[in-house]
Amino acid sequence: MKKVLAEILTIGDEILYGQITDTNSQWMSAELDELGVKVIRKTTVGDTELDILEAFAQAEERADIVLITGGLGPTNDDLTMPMLAHYFGSEIIMNQDVLEHVQDFFERRGRTFTELNRRQALVPEIAEVLHNDLGTAPGTWYERNGKVFVSMPGVPHEMKNLMKKLVIPKLRDFFQTPVIYHKLVKTVGIGESFLADKIKDWEDSLPDHISLAYLPSVGHVKLRLTAVGHDRQILKEEVQSKIDALLPLAEKYIYGYDDMTLEKAIGEMLLAQDKTLALAESCSGGYVQHKITTIAGSSEYFQGGVVPYHNDHKINLLGVKPETLEAHGAVSEACVKEMAEGVRKAFNADIGAATSGIAGPGGGTPDKPVGTVWIAYADGNQTVAKKLQLTQNRLLNIELTEISVLNLVRKSLKG
Amino acid sequence: MKKVLAEILTIGDEILYGQITDTNSQWMSAELDELGVKVIRKTTVGDTELDILEAFAQAEERADIVLITGGLGPTNDDLTMPMLAHYFGSEIIMNQDVLEHVQDFFERRGRTFTELNRRQALVPEIAEVLHNDLGTAPGTWYERNGKVFVSMPGVPHEMKNLMKKLVIPKLRDFFQTPVIYHKLVKTVGIGESFLADKIKDWEDSLPDHISLAYLPSVGHVKLRLTAVGHDRQILKEEVQSKIDALLPLAEKYIYGYDDMTLEKAIGEMLLAQDKTLALAESCSGGYVQHKITTIAGSSEYFQGGVVPYHNDHKINLLGVKPETLEAHGAVSEACVKEMAEGVRKAFNADIGAATSGIAGPGGGTPDKPVGTVWIAYADGNQTVAKKLQLTQNRLLNIELTEISVLNLVRKSLKG
């Protein structure tokens, strides 16, 4: 099958001058890639008639699909609609459906509808209008000689909504592209190459139409399974059976799928087990508690915590023994275990977890260089601690400590 | 003076397929804008010979400057160097300086130098080599008919370093662009339009060669002063005298200049005044402490804090009176003041600050809807509290609470 080719065209001076970041085109590229469409060029031009027309012509010559964003405001420097009308030899007309939508949109928000706003409803007569339920500028769709032009607003959430709801399904129909099904498997606590080693035989067993990608980020590795075929339900079942076969090999590292986060996964485990958590954070400085409390409803299972940045407070608030600090220092197995046990008691929680380390850049010693971190978990039955040897970078050390201690809690909850 | 025109060309399949975000081109656009150069187009093409050559030719036709990134690895699919050689009718040669640098680069890092790595030193004979001290792929510079091509690595920190150190100064020389001097004035605690009102007369007094831009972000407004002329020292003095005139109008909102952050500014004030800080965070869940402890050396002035997510711990750890909670609830002036005073004492700090509110999405009441937040400051002499009415968005409420309580501390420290 001949590969369908696409170009992405962004229109707007504000992108050329570096005033705003273009996140749209990466997102569109990834969506097209999932559709099996190959993006061959991205172009950004300013609000200039000739540049826009030239870009249209060059893109049409090279590609089957031209996706255009931007230049759809109601003012005179917004040229996309008039240039599309010119390019396709069409008149500009007032579209009644769009006009009503725009009027309604303004009324609902209690904003004044002006003469200028009416211009949002001006579209090339030849265009098929794509209804933009999140904004006032409509999408438009053009077909000529087996090729497709699509114009969309540049506002990211409006563009994404239009793409997902209308453009992708229409492109799939028009070009008869195959169905693609993705599933993300999220792992923590194992590096990419170790994970790849562990699941090598499983990976080799994947059929040709299911591919695997490793997507590493700080402390995490995501596995993306991509299945290509004709029936979404069959692909979904095939992928699920492959994940079932993966579990025995990697279950201890997997904390969830697709949009799941580590802090959310722990919250769900705590809720399911009817347990509460408290935290004592020294080197991580409150970041673990911040991550936990970003989850709506975390007050159901999170009792609270302490950041005992100075050693005095480890003693006063958490009951760490002065002898422990004297004999081993704050960055030690003994201290971090007493912190976890202490915060559990102080907050009357089922589980206590703790961090203590040298985030850097200062504070390192030959024995305990920057990046030395202890983490601990205590639940009344057992107290476990783990030593980490992290990096020279303070912010990275804070983030890696957070992921590691949350993972320690997750593994302990899993039993 | 005729405006100098530039195009930005990015080479690499990984950008077209949406696997990585292109942050380079926005940064380059902003740099060129500061130089007074107008970017007229951005193009991304894949690792394909004809596409690259076509992009070179079209860009040279339209622009005076063509900035190219990417495609500089040592493998066969990295085509930028051979295509530049071809385009400028030059041979590819092994550059001895680059070769030595690359060998040295590998040796220092204890990595094996392979035959493949030698290829990083292959450059078009016609090119002027721009030394890349942060990586192995060199920059190259080409001049023809008064136009300039520059090729740089796509790794962002390498590209930025080359641009700052070599490319921008060389472009300034070549095109005799004016000197541009920027200064950022950072404000907090006042909205853009209110600030604009307050400083209107001052803004009107700016001479033509000094312009002002308002750059708003969550909770903050940055003022960017841009002076254009011929002598950097004179521009710097002119801008400073304008800032001196601004201070009486807006000093209470200004926390710093250029790279200063609010948490860093507070750290410097605490150090200068030899004072220590402790925090009690309910609705902000540890985020304020996290921000404070991102600053290296914060242990000098940060004693620590508590996240008393449940009311019991407000009583047990901070000494909030049960009667206060009963009469006013946790989200109240009385409670947040007792929290600030309590954490100050519990941590033996000079200053205590506190947050208590309803971050949402749940937990709102008609009296105290989602977004209702109290913040407080206590230093033993005075205790002040402030009520905020924030948004429906949990993460935004956490961030706005953090900024507001840090600003309350800043203003109190300022006296």
Side-chain angles (χ1 to χ4, degrees):
Chain A
M1 199 175 77
K2 197 180 153 288
K3 194 94 175 171
V4 178
L5 305 180
E7 293 204 15
I8 295 172
L9 178 59
T10 308
I11 297 175
D13 285 341
E14 67 282 11
I15 303 259
L16 284 182
Y17 302 163
Q19 288 160 1
I20 61 172
T21 314
D22 165 30
T23 55
N24 284 351
S25 69
Q26 184 190 10
W27 186 89
M28 291 161 83
S29 286
E31 289 292 311
L32 291 168
D33 191 48
E34 292 196 6
L35 199 63
V37 169
K38 186 176 177 182
V39 177
I40 53 167
R41 189 175 296 226
K42 294 183 190 179
T43 308
T44 305
V45 296
D47 301 312
T48 310
E49 296 193 354
L50 285 180
D51 287 349
I52 295 171
L53 290 174
E54 185 196 38
F56 285 170
Q58 291 177 353
E60 187 179 9
E61 213 169 276
R62 290 179 297 239
D64 306 299
I65 301 170
V66 183
L67 294 185
I68 303 157
T69 59
L72 292 187
T75 58
N76 278 329
D77 56 349
D78 289 298
L79 296 170
T80 303
M81 286 297 188
M83 289 306 101
L84 279 165
H86 180 86
Y87 190 72
F88 285 101
S90 171
E91 295 297 309
I92 287 263
I93 57 159
M94 180 69 69
N95 182 296
Q96 286 307 317
D97 290 345
V98 177
L99 185 62
E100 277 167 32
H101 167 63
V102 176
Q103 276 176 320
D104 185 58
F105 196 91
F106 275 78
E107 267 166 30
R108 276 168 189 271
R109 283 159 184 73
R111 283 155 57 190
T112 317
F113 182 76
T114 66
E115 219 22 61
L116 197 63
N117 302 131
R118 284 176 65 87
R119 296 176 60 169
Q120 294 276 213
L122 290 170
V123 298
E125 191 170 16
I126 200 180
E128 178 182 342
V129 170
L130 307 176
H131 179 67
N132 175 8
D133 48 6
L134 301 182
T136 54
T140 48
W141 173 281
Y142 311 79
E143 295 174 10
R144 180 157 82 183
N145 305 324
K147 299 191 171 195
V148 170
F149 273 57
V150 185
S151 157
M152 291 172 283
V155 183
H157 74 276
E158 297 180 23
M159 178 280 290
K160 288 177 186 176
N161 181 55
L162 269 175
M163 279 283 282
K164 287 272 188 201
K165 279 201 194 151
L166 298 172
V167 178
I168 297 278
K170 281 175 71 69
L171 289 175
R172 182 174 286 134
D173 277 358
F174 191 89
F175 291 101
Q176 293 287 306
T177 61
V179 172
I180 297 188
Y181 174 78
H182 287 282
K183 182 102 181 168
L184 284 175
V185 182
K186 300 194 155 177
T187 76
V188 62
I190 184 167
E192 183 180 1
S193 57
F194 291 99
L195 182 59
D197 260 0
K198 265 196 197 300
I199 65 175
K200 190 181 174 309
D201 290 345
W202 172 82
E203 186 177 350
D204 290 344
S205 83
L206 292 173
D208 279 353
H209 72 291
I210 301 184
S211 63
L212 178 71
Y214 291 84
L215 309 173
S217 57
V218 171
H220 299 262
V221 177
K222 285 179 277 198
L223 299 174
R224 190 182 61 200
L225 284 156
T226 303
V228 183
H230 298 285
D231 184 315
R232 191 184 148 85
Q233 188 54 35
I234 291 173
L235 294 176
K236 199 174 161 179
E237 284 162 16
E238 286 178 328
V239 166
Q240 188 55 52
S241 93
K242 282 297 163 189
I243 288 175
D244 293 342
L246 172 68
L247 283 179
L249 307 170
E251 193 164 14
K252 64 190 269 208
Y253 309 109
I254 297 172
Y255 63 85
Y257 302 91
D258 298 325
D259 291 335
M260 183 56 67
T261 62
L262 188 52
E263 54 273 19
K264 192 156 180 243
I266 288 170
E268 293 185 357
M269 292 169 95
L270 288 167
L271 275 181
Q273 299 180 24
D274 198 19
K275 287 179 180 164
T276 60
L277 175 68
L279 273 157
E281 298 187 65
S282 195
C283 66
S284 52
Y287 190 56
V288 185
Q289 298 172 71
H290 164 57
K291 292 294 273 191
I292 287 174
T293 56
T294 56
I295 304 298
S298 49
S299 58
E300 294 290 314
Y301 49 81
F302 181 58
Q303 282 283 339
V306 174
V307 180
Y309 225 49
H310 267 222
N311 285 347
D312 288 357
H313 313 312
K314 295 184 176 79
I315 298 169
N316 300 337
L317 295 168
L318 300 175
V320 172
K321 296 192 211 85
E323 309 88 79
T324 304
L325 289 170
E326 206 154 301
H328 306 284
V331 181
S332 65
E333 176 169 7
C335 176
V336 78
K337 280 182 165 178
E338 289 180 21
M339 286 170 69
E341 287 159 1
V343 80
R344 187 180 154 268
K345 284 178 201 143
F347 281 79
N348 195 24
D350 298 307
I351 295 163
T355 69
S356 183
I358 299 151
T365 63
D367 260 17
K368 296 175 184 173
V370 167
T372 308
V373 173
W374 278 94
I375 56 175
Y377 164 94
D379 63 12
N381 295 314
Q382 58 160 348
T383 303
V384 291
K386 192 180 170 188
K387 188 182 182 180
L388 312 170
Q389 202 63 57
L390 304 175
T391 75
Q392 295 298 305
N393 181 300
R394 182 178 183 88
L395 295 185
L396 192 54
N397 288 342
I398 291 172
E399 189 176 357
L400 287 169
T401 300
E402 172 256 322
I403 293 167
S404 302
V405 75
L406 286 183
N407 194 35
L408 183 62
V409 171
R410 182 189 69 89
K411 286 196 293 187
S412 307
L413 282 171
K414 227 171 136 67
Chain B
M1 199 177 74
K2 195 179 153 291
K3 194 94 173 167
V4 178
L5 306 180
E7 293 203 15
I8 296 173
L9 178 59
T10 308
I11 297 175
D13 286 340
E14 67 282 10
I15 303 259
L16 284 183
Y17 302 164
Q19 288 160 3
I20 60 172
T21 314
D22 165 31
T23 54
N24 284 348
S25 70
Q26 184 190 11
W27 186 90
M28 290 161 84
S29 285
E31 288 292 310
L32 290 168
D33 191 49
E34 292 194 7
L35 198 63
V37 170
K38 185 176 178 184
V39 176
I40 53 167
R41 189 175 297 226
K42 294 182 190 180
T43 307
T44 305
V45 295
D47 301 313
T48 309
E49 296 193 353
L50 285 180
D51 287 350
I52 295 171
L53 290 174
E54 185 196 39
F56 286 169
Q58 291 178 353
E60 188 179 8
E61 212 169 278
R62 292 179 296 239
D64 306 299
I65 301 170
V66 183
L67 295 185
I68 302 157
T69 59
L72 292 188
T75 59
N76 278 328
D77 56 350
D78 289 298
L79 297 170
T80 303
M81 286 297 188
M83 290 305 100
L84 280 165
H86 180 88
Y87 189 72
F88 285 102
S90 171
E91 295 295 311
I92 288 265
I93 56 159
M94 180 70 68
N95 182 297
Q96 286 306 316
D97 291 345
V98 177
L99 185 62
E100 277 167 32
H101 167 64
V102 176
Q103 276 177 320
D104 185 57
F105 196 89
F106 275 79
E107 266 166 30
R108 277 169 189 271
R109 283 160 184 74
R111 283 155 55 189
T112 316
F113 182 74
T114 66
E115 221 16 64
L116 197 65
N117 302 131
R118 285 176 66 87
R119 297 176 59 170
Q120 295 274 217
L122 290 170
V123 298
E125 192 170 13
I126 200 179
E128 178 181 343
V129 169
L130 307 176
H131 179 67
N132 174 7
D133 48 6
L134 300 182
T136 55
T140 49
W141 173 283
Y142 310 79
E143 296 174 9
R144 180 157 84 183
N145 304 325
K147 299 191 171 193
V148 169
F149 273 58
V150 185
S151 157
M152 290 173 283
V155 183
H157 74 275
E158 297 180 22
M159 178 279 290
K160 289 178 186 175
N161 181 56
L162 269 174
M163 280 282 283
K164 286 272 188 201
K165 280 199 193 154
L166 297 171
V167 177
I168 297 279
K170 280 176 72 70
L171 289 174
R172 181 173 288 135
D173 276 0
F174 191 91
F175 291 101
Q176 294 287 310
T177 60
V179 172
I180 298 189
Y181 175 78
H182 288 282
K183 183 101 181 168
L184 284 176
V185 181
K186 299 192 156 180
T187 76
V188 63
I190 185 168
E192 182 179 0
S193 57
F194 291 99
L195 182 59
D197 260 0
K198 266 196 194 301
I199 64 175
K200 190 182 174 308
D201 290 345
W202 172 83
E203 186 176 349
D204 291 343
S205 82
L206 293 173
D208 280 352
H209 71 292
I210 301 183
S211 63
L212 177 70
Y214 291 84
L215 310 172
S217 56
V218 172
H220 299 264
V221 177
K222 285 179 279 198
L223 298 173
R224 189 182 62 200
L225 284 156
T226 304
V228 182
H230 298 285
D231 184 314
R232 190 183 149 84
Q233 189 54 36
I234 291 174
L235 294 177
K236 198 174 159 178
E237 285 162 15
E238 286 178 329
V239 166
Q240 188 54 52
S241 93
K242 282 297 163 190
I243 288 175
D244 293 343
L246 171 68
L247 282 179
L249 306 171
E251 192 164 16
K252 64 190 270 210
Y253 309 108
I254 297 171
Y255 64 84
Y257 303 91
D258 298 325
D259 293 333
M260 184 56 69
T261 61
L262 188 52
E263 54 274 17
K264 192 154 180 242
I266 287 170
E268 291 184 358
M269 292 169 95
L270 288 166
L271 274 181
Q273 299 180 25
D274 198 18
K275 286 180 179 164
T276 59
L277 175 67
L279 272 157
E281 296 187 65
S282 194
C283 67
S284 52
Y287 190 57
V288 185
Q289 298 172 71
H290 165 57
K291 292 294 273 190
I292 287 174
T293 56
T294 57
I295 304 297
S298 48
S299 58
E300 295 290 315
Y301 49 81
F302 181 57
Q303 282 284 338
V306 174
V307 180
Y309 224 51
H310 267 224
N311 284 347
D312 287 359
H313 314 313
K314 296 184 175 79
I315 299 169
N316 299 335
L317 295 168
L318 300 175
V320 171
K321 295 193 211 85
E323 310 87 79
T324 304
L325 288 171
E326 206 155 304
H328 306 285
V331 181
S332 65
E333 176 169 10
C335 177
V336 78
K337 281 182 163 177
E338 289 181 22
M339 286 171 68
E341 288 160 0
V343 79
R344 186 181 155 267
K345 284 179 202 143
F347 281 78
N348 196 25
D350 298 307
I351 294 163
T355 70
S356 184
I358 298 152
T365 63
D367 260 16
K368 296 175 185 175
V370 167
T372 308
V373 173
W374 278 94
I375 57 175
Y377 164 95
D379 64 10
N381 295 316
Q382 59 161 347
T383 302
V384 292
K386 190 177 170 190
K387 187 182 183 180
L388 312 171
Q389 203 62 57
L390 304 176
T391 74
Q392 294 298 304
N393 181 300
R394 182 178 183 86
L395 295 185
L396 192 55
N397 288 342
I398 291 171
E399 190 175 356
L400 287 168
T401 301
E402 172 256 324
I403 293 167
S404 303
V405 74
L406 286 183
N407 194 35
L408 183 63
V409 171
R410 182 189 70 88
K411 286 195 294 186
S412 306
L413 282 170
K414 228 170 134 72

